[in-house]
Amino acid sequence: MTDVTTDDGVEDAATLRAAMVRELRDQGACQSERVAAAFASVPRHLFTPGEPLAVAYAVDNAPIVKRDGNGLTLSSVSAPHLQATMLEAADIKPGMRVCEVGSGGYNAALLAELVGDGGHVTTVDIDPEIVERARTFLNEAGYNRVDVMLTDAEEGVLDAAPFDRIIVTAGSWDIPPAWIDQLADDGRIVVPLRLKGTTRWIAFDRDGSGLISRGYGLCVFVPFQGAGSHTERTVTIEDGVVLRLDDENLKVDIDALRRALHLPRIERWSGAVFDMPDEQALFLLTNSAGMALLHANQEAVDRDLIARPALKGVPVLIDGDSFAYRAARPNDDMSSGYESGVYAHGPSAEDLAARYADLLRRWADRYHRRGAASIQYLPKAADPPAPSSGIIVKRHGTVVVTWP
Ligand SMILES: C[S@@+](CC[C@H](N)C(=O)[O-])C[C@H]1O[C@@H](n2cnc3c(N)ncnc32)[C@H](O)[C@@H]1O
């Protein structure tokens, strides 16, 4: 491998790559020697041509490769931090057969390092340009044993199955039956799954005819395209204030919510810690009916129509003509330095704020840690579970989020 010297002649690819591996270890994204060694071996800059070396080797950077006509990212080289986290969760061993859904080349090269000469990597993409890029870069970097295929991964890759591991690198709303069918008996799927408007990478092992989680974490991925694509329902309450609804059964009265938005906002505090917003959000979204995500733009916040937490998207509890969403304020008595609370609007604002605050206290008392939820995927053929707020009905099956 040739290292490239930058204009100022100080940093070269090898130096930056070593620094990237150190940072991945320090952050805890690389936990095993084997994953760290893969990152130390593969020349990432060969898969990100046109990017400055420092950008190619930044742990949190995902260079964009392709956008659609509206500017939506269709393909990127995922950030090293997320790739390392998902590779660790996949627990890939030498000799395994692995399928990567969504190509780019770099992650497939890391997989090739992990499975070694006795294993095999198939990487598939729906986009011919991306397949061509990945093939070219993998060959240039010396990973010509990786099979790069043009296909919609919704149907899997029957010819190369069964797989010990399936690593999905696009945000999928569901789990196509082919992925479960083509997984070895003791196989594992690591998939960024969309759950109530947010995405979690989930490491799933087989569990009867379905899957059971072994770990999960927050992530952001480009959308899964093709036959398995899914359009989320969004409802605009007012300019710059939008609800994202991932529950077909959740009915919203837009006019009533618009009126509520213009009523005075109440603010109530839970007395419970605000911490790990992603973990807390998953709990809120899966522990009460009527939960969705509330998003607002800066202008709506500047007009004081809505409070700041909505800027990044926040779980919102909707009931008829009223709604409530999460607040946070500094509080030195809390372990994180912050206390959680609620903003609420509408005629039933007090009641909703009390229900929301109760959920915040329950999370803080019982689940204030990473990975507290257990996530199951039941294919359609399995007995349907009784409806509850932790049940998320998909096209091919059901996701069941429980809090043991
Ligand atoms: C984040 S990129 C993949 C990054 C890559 N794994 C890497 O090495 O960093 C996601 C890719 O998924 C692909 N994709 C989306 N939907 C797909 C589908 N149904 N089947 C196969 N590939 C798909 C996109 O074309 C895109 O290139």
Side-chain angles (χ1 to χ4, degrees):
M1 188 224 23
T2 5
D3 279 324
V4 182
T5 305
T6 50
D7 287 342
D8 62 11
V10 176
E11 292 170 322
D12 63 18
T15 310
L16 289 169
R17 192 157 55 254
M20 175 185 76
V21 176
R22 268 197 307 280
E23 204 175 336
L24 290 173
R25 282 180 187 274
D26 290 349
Q27 291 182 345
C30 273
Q31 292 179 353
S32 65
E33 288 307 318
R34 298 187 51 253
V35 171
F39 276 91
S41 300
V42 182
R44 182 170 162 94
H45 63 282
L46 296 186
F47 299 86
T48 59
E51 296 288 347
L53 284 178
V55 173
Y57 284 103
V59 292
D60 288 324
N61 194 42
I64 293 170
V65 175
K66 190 167 180 175
R67 297 180 200 265
D68 72 2
N70 299 317
L72 178 78
T73 303
L74 293 179
S75 190
S76 60
V77 182
S78 304
H81 177 266
L82 184 53
Q83 289 174 317
T85 303
M86 288 174 66
L87 290 174
E88 291 287 7
D91 188 23
I92 294 160
K93 300 202 167 66
M96 283 187 166
R97 294 181 65 77
V98 180
C99 177
E100 182 195 37
V101 171
S103 307
Y106 179 62
N107 198 48
L110 295 170
L111 291 168
E113 290 286 342
L114 289 169
V115 300
D117 288 344
H120 190 259
V121 178
T122 305
T123 179
V124 301
D125 205 286
I126 197 168
D127 186 326
E129 268 181 59
I130 303 300
V131 166
E132 200 42 49
R133 263 177 76 100
R135 208 172 263 147
T136 305
F137 298 158
L138 281 163
N139 284 338
E140 282 172 4
Y143 295 94
N144 38 12
R145 288 188 61 247
V146 173
D147 273 340
V148 189
M149 291 175 57
L150 175 64
T151 189
D152 181 342
E154 178 76 4
E155 295 303 328
V157 194
L158 193 56
D159 290 350
F163 298 109
D164 300 301
R165 300 289 184 263
I166 298 176
I167 316 290
V168 184
T169 64
S172 183
W173 186 74
D174 200 355
I175 300 195
W179 297 356
I180 302 180
D181 293 347
Q182 294 174 18
L183 190 67
D185 285 348
D186 55 353
R188 178 171 288 188
I189 300 181
V190 182
V191 53
L193 192 62
R194 296 196 62 73
L195 296 174
K196 300 234 173 186
T198 66
T199 308
R200 299 284 182 290
W201 64 261
I202 305 174
F204 277 122
D205 284 353
R206 267 192 188 284
D207 182 35
S209 61
L211 302 168
I212 182 84
S213 66
R214 299 294 178 221
Y216 65 85
L218 187 72
C219 62
V220 178
F221 267 95
V222 304
F224 193 69
Q225 304 168 48
S229 65
H230 179 265
T231 308
E232 203 171 66
R233 186 160 60 116
T234 57
V235 170
T236 301
I237 308 183
E238 186 71 90
D239 265 2
V241 183
V242 172
L243 294 173
R244 287 170 55 202
L245 305 161
D246 190 27
D247 180 349
E248 297 298 326
N249 299 321
L250 181 54
K251 304 274 178 280
V252 288
D253 181 340
I254 304 172
D255 292 335
L257 294 180
R258 185 175 303 123
R259 283 193 297 276
L261 185 63
H262 291 281
L263 291 173
R265 178 165 75 218
I266 68 164
E267 190 179 300
R268 299 289 178 267
W269 297 97
S270 70
V273 67
F274 173 68
D275 201 1
M276 303 177 193
D278 53 323
E279 293 286 342
Q280 187 200 50
L282 186 64
F283 178 80
L284 294 169
L285 290 166
T286 56
N287 275 279
S288 173
M291 278 286 185
L293 283 180
L294 172 69
H295 284 258
N297 64 17
Q298 186 65 52
E299 199 192 327
V301 172
D302 291 345
R303 284 166 62 205
D304 203 26
L305 208 50
I306 202 98
R308 292 191 67 76
L311 275 179
K312 287 188 175 169
V314 67
V316 58
L317 178 60
I318 304 164
D319 195 348
D321 54 9
S322 304
F323 64 95
Y325 57 102
R326 204 242 321 119
R329 68 176 177 186
N331 181 335
D332 289 342
D333 293 338
M334 301 288 150
S335 56
S336 67
Y338 288 88
E339 177 187 1
S340 62
V342 197
Y343 297 119
H345 294 251
S348 310
E350 279 298 352
D351 173 50
L352 251 63
R355 282 160 55 191
Y356 204 114
D358 195 44
L359 288 171
L360 293 169
R361 282 187 289 270
R362 259 175 64 202
W363 178 79
D365 286 350
R366 298 175 58 184
Y367 305 110
H368 177 199
R369 60 183 183 277
R370 295 234 156 256
S374 172
I375 307 171
Q376 251 181 307
Y377 185 85
L378 303 175
K380 224 170 202 155
D383 286 341
S388 84
S389 47
I391 303 284
I392 306 168
V393 179
K394 302 283 182 177
R395 200 177 292 152
H396 302 297
T398 310
V399 178
V400 185
V401 184
T402 46
W403 297 81

